[in-house]
Amino acid sequence: MNASMRTAAAGAVGIAVLALATPAAWAFGEGAGVFCGTDRASGLAVGTARARDCGTALKVARAYTRSWNSGGEGPTTVHAAGSVWKCREQQGPLNPYQKCVETDGTARWVTLTS
């Protein structure tokens, strides 16, 4: 392998590592936010408004998935990351998605999308 090919390969690997390590901006449902990762139980993508809230978003998604898997239909209240969240299905432009909103008025939200 010549030097330019090695450099290109190393650059591609570096970009892939950064892409996996940093929450990415994305658009969904009614707005934009950051992709935080995937909920292990449901396989749904988890997002929120700010990258600094990704840890909380993943905890909320986990709590909501547990509630959802135990037969919860319709709006659900979950307790996660020291807060209470109201979760329910929302109609997106193409597909429905799940949205949880913190109840204390902070306007923080979490989405789960397929």
Side-chain angles (χ1 to χ4, degrees):
M1 197 190 289
N2 67 32
S4 63
M5 289 179 70
R6 280 193 300 269
T7 302
V13 169
I15 289 169
V17 168
L18 285 174
L20 293 173
T22 306
W26 64 323
F28 55 90
E30 65 204 36
V34 294
F35 171 74
C36 297
T38 303
D39 177 61
R40 291 181 190 163
S42 67
L44 296 174
V46 178
T48 190
R50 299 175 302 237
R52 69 176 183 244
D53 290 333
C54 278
T56 297
L58 291 167
K59 290 175 185 172
V60 171
R62 190 174 328 132
Y64 181 51
T65 299
R66 276 192 302 252
S67 172
W68 197 13
N69 286 340
S70 64
E73 296 284 331
T76 303
T77 300
V78 298
H79 299 266
S83 295
V84 178
W85 300 77
K86 294 282 186 182
C87 305
R88 69 184 185 97
E89 185 172 277
Q90 302 284 323
Q91 184 57 49
L94 299 176
N95 295 310
Y97 63 98
Q98 310 303 315
K99 183 172 184 177
C100 299
V101 178
E102 192 171 23
T103 62
D104 70 359
T106 63
R108 290 196 307 173
W109 51 266
V110 173
T111 58
L112 290 92
T113 59
S114 57

